[in-house]
Amino acid sequence: MQKETLRIETFSDGVFCIAVTLLSLEIGVEVKNVATNTDLLHALISKWPICLAYVISFVNVLLAWIGHHSLFKQLHKTNNFIMMTNGVLLMLVALVPFPTKTLGLFLQTGALKTAVIFYTAYFVLISLAFRLLWHAATRRRDLLIQSITDAQINLTTKNENIGLICNSIILATAFINPWIALALSFAMWVYWIGFA
Amino acid sequence: MQKETLRIETFSDGVFCIAVTLLSLEIGVEVKNVATNTDLLHALISKWPICLAYVISFVNVLLAWIGHHSLFKQLHKTNNFIMMTNGVLLMLVALVPFPTKTLGLFLQTGALKTAVIFYTAYFVLISLAFRLLWHAATRRRDLLIQSITDAQINLTTKNENIGLICNSIILATAFINPWIALALSFAMWVYWIGFA
Amino acid sequence: MQKETLRIETFSDGVFCIAVTLLSLEIGVEVKNVATNTDLLHALISKWPICLAYVISFVNVLLAWIGHHSLFKQLHKTNNFIMMTNGVLLMLVALVPFPTKTLGLFLQTGALKTAVIFYTAYFVLISLAFRLLWHAATRRRDLLIQSITDAQINLTTKNENIGLICNSIILATAFINPWIALALSFAMWVYWIGFA
Amino acid sequence: MQKETLRIETFSDGVFCIAVTLLSLEIGVEVKNVATNTDLLHALISKWPICLAYVISFVNVLLAWIGHHSLFKQLHKTNNFIMMTNGVLLMLVALVPFPTKTLGLFLQTGALKTAVIFYTAYFVLISLAFRLLWHAATRRRDLLIQSITDAQINLTTKNENIGLICNSIILATAFINPWIALALSFAMWVYWIGFA
C-alpha cells in the first residue's frame, strides 16, 4: 500500500509544480502603444501589481507544497476519503492562477477590495481542504505510519488549525483594509518559513 | 519488461496531471467593464458555469487517472497494440480542456444542449478507449501479471463495461434533457468514489 | 554516470509529455456568433482541421518519444556533445505546437501548401536532430552500454537514416501535393507502429 | 534527509522543465491578413525575433538546469535557508517566459534597448539567486556531502562568481549596444558548454 501513497504524492507534486509555473503565463507586455524605450520601461513598471500577485501566489503554493509533503510523510496508506479530500485540495491548488490574476488585474482599480477578499477567501478554502485532509488521515489510526506519536499528531493538528485561523483573520481584515490583509499574508510567510 | 510498463505509466501520469491542471487556464475575469467592487463581484459570480465545468472535468479526469492505474497495475508487459490504444486514450485525455471550455462557455446560452451532448459524447469516447485498452491487455494472458485470477479479470471487464454503458446512458439523456445528464454524471461519481 | 543518464531521460520525458499536452491549448470554440444549438454544432465541426493537426502531431511526438527511449536505452553515459544535441532535439520538440497550429489554421486556406511544407520541414529537422544525437552517441564506443553488439548499433543507425529519408521524401512531396504529403505521413506511422 | 533533497530536486526539475516548454506558447502566426502561400511564408519569416528569443532562453534555462544539478549533487541535506533561496530561484526561472516574450516582441522596434536590458538584467537576477543558493549551501559544512573537498567547493564558488560577473558585463554592454550584448550572451554559452 506504501506504493499507492507514493503515486498520489507524485501526482500531487505534479499538480503543485504545474500550478506554480502556469502562474507566469498571465504576465506579459502588449506590443501596441509601445514605440520607444521609455514606453516599454513604463509598460514594464506598470506590470508591478501582477508581478506582486505572482510572487505572493508562488510563495503560498510553495508553502502549501511543503505542508502537503510533511502531511503525507505521516501517512502509511490511503482510503477513498483521503483520495477525495486530496482531490478537492488539488482542484483548488490547480485553480490558484484564477484568484492570482484577479488580484493582479484589480490591485490598482476601484475593485481592489473585492479582489483581495476573493484572493484571501480562496486561501481559507485551501486551508479548509488541508484541515479536512488531515481529519481524513487521523480518523483511523491504521492509516498513519506506526512510528508516529500522539504528540506528533496533535502538533500537526495544531499547525493545521493555526493555518486555518490565520487565513480566516486575514480574510476578515480584507473586509476592513485590503492592504493590511496583504501585509498580514506576507507576515505569515515569515512565521511559516521560520517554523516549517 | 516491467521497466517499460513503468515508463508508460509515468508518461501517462504526466499527461493526466498536465491535462487536469491546464483546465484552469480558461478561467479568468476580464478587466474591461469592471470599475467597482460590485462590478467585480458580479463578474466573479458570472463565472460559475466555467467553474462548474472545471469541477466536473477535474473529477472525471481524476477518476480516469485512478482507473488507468488500477488497469496498469494488472499489466506485466506491453506490446504495440497496448501502446497504441494507450496513446489514443492519452490523446483524448489531453484534449479534455476542449469539451470542458465548450461546456463552460455555452451552459447559459441557447446552445446548451449541443454543448452537453458534445461533452458527454466525449466521455463516451474516453470510456471506449479504456475498454479497448483493457481488450488489448486481456487478449493475450502473458501480458497480465501472473498472480491475477480469472475472477479479477472478469471484475475489471465488468467495471469497464458498466462505465461505458453509464456514459452512453448519460449521452442519450443529454439529447432529452441536458441538466438531467449533468446530474446523472454527478451521481455516477458518487458510485465510483464509493466503489473505487 | 548511469544516474546522470536517468536525469536527462526524466527531463526529456517531461518535455515530450508537456509538449504533447500543450497542443490541446489551441483548440476551442469562440462564443461570439454562436447563439443556437445548430450554430455550436457547425462551429464544432468547423474545428476539424485543427483537430486533425492535433492528432497528427500527437502521434508524431509520441513516436518521437518512443524513439528517444530506445535510443537512450543503449546509452551508458553522456558527454557535452550528447547533452547539446539532446538539447537541440528537446528545443524542437517543445516548439511542435507552433507548426501544429500553423497547419491547423491554414489547412483550409489558400496558404495550405506553405503550411504543409513548414510542418513537414519541421519534422525533417527533428529527424536530423535524432540522427545527430545518435551520431554523438556512437562516436565513442564507451558511451554505449557494454552488452550492445555492432549489429544492434547498425540497426539503429539504419532506422534513424530511414526516418530521415522518409521525412525528406514527405517534405519533397509537400511541394508537389500537400494532401499526398499528409497521407504519406499517416502511412509512415503504420510502418513505425508495426516495426517499433 | 537525502530523501528530502531528492524531493526538492524533482520539484525543481519540474519547474525548469515546464518553464522551458511554456516558452513555445508565445509563438504562432495569426490567421488574419494571410490569404496566400506567399503571405504565410512572409508571416512565418517575420517570426524570427520571437524564435531567436525562444532559442536564447531555451539554452539559458537548460544551462541553468545543468548548473542546478551540479550544485545539488554536492548537497547532503537542506535547511530552511536553502529551501527559501531555491524557492526564489525557481520563482525567477518560472517567470523566464516574461522577459523572453518581451525580448521577442521588441527586438525589431524602437524599444529594443529596454527589452535587451530587461532580459539581461533578468539573468543577472538568476545568477544572483544561484550565488545566494550556493552561499546558503556552503555556510554550514554539514549540509554538503562528506566526500567533497575544499578545492571542489572553491571551484563551484569560482564558477558561480564567473557566471554572475559575465552576466553583469553583458547587462552593462546592453546599455551601450544591445546587439553586442546578445552576441556576448551567445559566446558565453560556448564557454559553458565547453567547460560544463
Side-chain angles (χ1 to χ4, degrees):
Chain A
M1 291 296 263
Q2 179 60 32
K3 198 187 142 211
E4 197 59 35
T5 316
L6 184 69
R7 275 263 136 88
I8 297 163
E9 283 184 69
T10 312
F11 192 84
S12 306
D13 275 15
V15 171
F16 276 96
C17 191
I18 299 163
V20 104
T21 320
L22 285 184
L23 289 170
S24 77
L25 282 183
E26 303 303 323
I27 308 179
V29 167
E30 266 154 56
V31 81
K32 62 183 174 189
N33 302 327
V34 174
T36 66
N37 285 311
T38 323
D39 288 348
L40 180 55
L41 186 66
H42 290 307
L44 287 172
I45 290 169
S46 75
K47 288 288 160 188
W48 73 263
I50 186 75
C51 287
L52 180 68
Y54 170 76
V55 171
I56 296 175
S57 286
F58 198 100
V59 175
N60 275 332
V61 174
L62 217 63
L63 289 177
W65 174 68
I66 294 171
H68 193 265
H69 261 302
S70 60
L71 198 155
F72 262 84
K73 238 192 288 185
Q74 305 179 35
L75 271 181
H76 173 61
K77 56 184 188 182
T78 63
N79 59 14
N80 282 334
F81 191 23
I82 287 180
M83 294 287 278
M84 222 177 62
T85 49
N86 191 50
V88 170
L89 178 60
L90 292 183
M91 202 192 294
L92 290 168
V93 167
L95 203 52
V96 162
F98 177 30
T100 304
K101 66 183 137 180
T102 306
L103 182 65
L105 283 173
F106 297 99
L107 205 62
Q108 287 186 300
T109 70
L112 162 69
K113 187 175 271 191
T114 305
V116 175
I117 289 170
F118 177 53
Y119 187 85
T120 51
Y122 198 85
F123 279 91
V124 171
L125 277 181
I126 289 183
S127 297
L128 265 174
F130 260 113
R131 189 61 193 84
L132 197 66
L133 178 59
W134 183 241
H135 172 71
T138 51
R139 238 182 11 154
R140 282 172 47 199
R141 194 63 169 81
D142 62 319
L143 297 176
L144 299 172
I145 52 170
Q146 290 209 325
S147 61
I148 204 169
T149 63
D150 281 347
Q152 284 174 307
I153 297 174
N154 291 336
L155 183 68
T156 306
T157 309
K158 201 184 132 199
N159 278 335
E160 297 291 341
N161 287 339
I162 289 176
L164 182 54
I165 291 166
C166 284
N167 276 316
S168 304
I169 291 172
I170 292 173
L171 170 59
T173 314
F175 280 92
I176 303 160
N177 187 320
W179 290 108
I180 294 178
L182 289 178
L184 279 179
S185 183
F186 207 91
M188 209 174 118
W189 297 348
V190 180
Y191 173 85
W192 282 119
I193 291 167
F195 286 72
Chain B
M1 290 298 263
Q2 180 61 30
K3 199 188 142 209
E4 198 57 35
T5 316
L6 185 69
R7 275 262 136 90
I8 297 163
E9 284 184 68
T10 312
F11 192 84
S12 307
D13 275 15
V15 171
F16 276 96
C17 190
I18 298 163
V20 105
T21 320
L22 285 184
L23 289 170
S24 77
L25 282 183
E26 302 303 323
I27 308 179
V29 166
E30 266 154 56
V31 81
K32 61 183 173 188
N33 301 326
V34 174
T36 67
N37 285 311
T38 323
D39 289 347
L40 181 55
L41 188 66
H42 289 307
L44 286 172
I45 291 169
S46 76
K47 288 287 160 189
W48 72 263
I50 186 75
C51 287
L52 180 68
Y54 170 77
V55 171
I56 295 175
S57 286
F58 198 100
V59 176
N60 276 331
V61 175
L62 217 62
L63 290 177
W65 175 69
I66 293 171
H68 193 265
H69 262 302
S70 60
L71 198 154
F72 263 84
K73 238 191 287 184
Q74 305 178 36
L75 271 181
H76 173 60
K77 56 183 187 183
T78 63
N79 59 14
N80 282 335
F81 191 22
I82 287 179
M83 293 287 277
M84 222 177 62
T85 50
N86 191 49
V88 171
L89 178 60
L90 293 184
M91 203 192 293
L92 290 169
V93 167
L95 203 52
V96 163
F98 177 30
T100 303
K101 65 183 139 179
T102 306
L103 182 64
L105 283 173
F106 297 100
L107 205 62
Q108 286 185 302
T109 70
L112 163 69
K113 187 175 271 191
T114 305
V116 175
I117 290 171
F118 177 53
Y119 187 84
T120 51
Y122 198 86
F123 279 91
V124 171
L125 277 182
I126 288 183
S127 297
L128 267 174
F130 260 114
R131 188 63 193 83
L132 196 66
L133 178 59
W134 182 241
H135 172 72
T138 50
R139 237 183 11 156
R140 281 172 49 198
R141 192 65 170 76
D142 63 319
L143 296 177
L144 298 172
I145 51 169
Q146 290 208 323
S147 61
I148 205 168
T149 63
D150 282 346
Q152 283 174 307
I153 296 175
N154 291 337
L155 183 68
T156 306
T157 309
K158 200 184 132 198
N159 278 335
E160 297 291 341
N161 286 338
I162 290 176
L164 182 54
I165 291 165
C166 283
N167 276 317
S168 304
I169 291 171
I170 292 173
L171 170 60
T173 314
F175 280 92
I176 304 160
N177 188 320
W179 290 108
I180 294 178
L182 289 179
L184 279 179
S185 183
F186 207 91
M188 208 174 117
W189 297 349
V190 180
Y191 173 85
W192 281 119
I193 290 167
F195 286 74
Chain C
M1 290 298 263
Q2 180 60 32
K3 200 186 141 211
E4 198 57 35
T5 315
L6 185 69
R7 275 261 136 90
I8 296 163
E9 283 185 68
T10 312
F11 192 84
S12 306
D13 275 16
V15 172
F16 277 96
C17 190
I18 298 163
V20 104
T21 320
L22 284 184
L23 289 170
S24 77
L25 282 183
E26 301 304 323
I27 308 179
V29 166
E30 266 154 58
V31 82
K32 61 184 175 188
N33 302 325
V34 174
T36 67
N37 286 311
T38 323
D39 289 349
L40 181 54
L41 187 66
H42 289 307
L44 287 171
I45 291 170
S46 75
K47 287 288 161 190
W48 73 263
I50 187 75
C51 287
L52 180 68
Y54 170 75
V55 171
I56 295 175
S57 285
F58 198 99
V59 176
N60 276 331
V61 175
L62 217 62
L63 289 177
W65 175 69
I66 293 171
H68 193 265
H69 262 303
S70 60
L71 199 154
F72 263 85
K73 238 191 288 184
Q74 304 178 35
L75 271 182
H76 172 61
K77 56 183 189 181
T78 63
N79 59 13
N80 283 334
F81 191 23
I82 287 179
M83 294 287 277
M84 221 177 62
T85 50
N86 191 50
V88 170
L89 178 61
L90 293 184
M91 204 192 291
L92 289 169
V93 167
L95 203 51
V96 163
F98 177 30
T100 303
K101 65 183 140 180
T102 305
L103 182 64
L105 283 173
F106 297 99
L107 205 62
Q108 286 186 301
T109 69
L112 164 68
K113 186 174 270 190
T114 305
V116 175
I117 289 170
F118 177 53
Y119 187 83
T120 51
Y122 198 85
F123 279 91
V124 172
L125 277 182
I126 289 183
S127 298
L128 266 174
F130 261 114
R131 187 64 193 81
L132 197 65
L133 178 58
W134 183 241
H135 172 72
T138 51
R139 237 182 10 156
R140 281 171 49 199
R141 193 64 170 77
D142 62 319
L143 296 177
L144 299 172
I145 52 170
Q146 290 209 323
S147 61
I148 204 168
T149 63
D150 281 347
Q152 283 173 307
I153 296 175
N154 290 337
L155 183 68
T156 305
T157 308
K158 200 183 132 199
N159 279 335
E160 297 292 341
N161 286 339
I162 289 175
L164 182 54
I165 291 166
C166 284
N167 276 316
S168 303
I169 291 172
I170 292 173
L171 170 59
T173 314
F175 279 92
I176 303 161
N177 188 320
W179 290 107
I180 295 179
L182 289 178
L184 279 179
S185 182
F186 208 91
M188 208 174 118
W189 297 348
V190 180
Y191 173 85
W192 281 119
I193 290 167
F195 287 73
Chain D
M1 291 297 263
Q2 179 60 34
K3 199 186 142 210
E4 198 57 36
T5 316
L6 185 69
R7 275 260 136 89
I8 297 164
E9 284 185 69
T10 312
F11 192 84
S12 306
D13 275 15
V15 171
F16 276 96
C17 190
I18 299 163
V20 105
T21 320
L22 285 184
L23 289 170
S24 77
L25 282 182
E26 302 303 323
I27 308 178
V29 167
E30 266 154 57
V31 82
K32 61 184 176 189
N33 302 328
V34 174
T36 66
N37 286 311
T38 323
D39 288 349
L40 181 54
L41 187 67
H42 289 307
L44 287 172
I45 291 169
S46 76
K47 288 288 160 188
W48 73 263
I50 187 75
C51 287
L52 179 68
Y54 170 76
V55 172
I56 295 175
S57 286
F58 198 100
V59 176
N60 276 331
V61 174
L62 217 64
L63 289 177
W65 174 68
I66 294 170
H68 194 265
H69 262 303
S70 61
L71 198 154
F72 263 86
K73 236 190 291 183
Q74 305 179 34
L75 270 182
H76 173 60
K77 56 184 188 180
T78 63
N79 59 14
N80 283 334
F81 191 23
I82 287 179
M83 294 287 277
M84 222 177 62
T85 49
N86 191 50
V88 171
L89 178 61
L90 293 183
M91 203 192 292
L92 289 169
V93 167
L95 203 52
V96 163
F98 177 31
T100 304
K101 64 183 140 179
T102 305
L103 182 64
L105 283 173
F106 298 99
L107 205 61
Q108 286 187 300
T109 70
L112 163 69
K113 187 174 270 189
T114 305
V116 175
I117 290 171
F118 177 52
Y119 187 85
T120 50
Y122 198 86
F123 280 91
V124 171
L125 278 182
I126 289 183
S127 298
L128 266 174
F130 261 113
R131 189 62 193 84
L132 197 65
L133 179 58
W134 183 242
H135 173 72
T138 51
R139 239 182 9 157
R140 282 172 47 197
R141 193 64 171 77
D142 62 320
L143 297 176
L144 299 172
I145 52 170
Q146 289 209 325
S147 60
I148 205 169
T149 63
D150 281 348
Q152 283 173 308
I153 297 174
N154 290 337
L155 183 68
T156 306
T157 309
K158 200 185 134 198
N159 278 335
E160 297 291 341
N161 286 339
I162 290 175
L164 181 54
I165 291 166
C166 284
N167 276 316
S168 304
I169 291 172
I170 292 172
L171 170 59
T173 314
F175 280 92
I176 303 161
N177 187 319
W179 291 107
I180 294 179
L182 290 178
L184 279 179
S185 183
F186 209 91
M188 208 175 118
W189 298 349
V190 180
Y191 173 85
W192 281 120
I193 290 167
F195 287 72

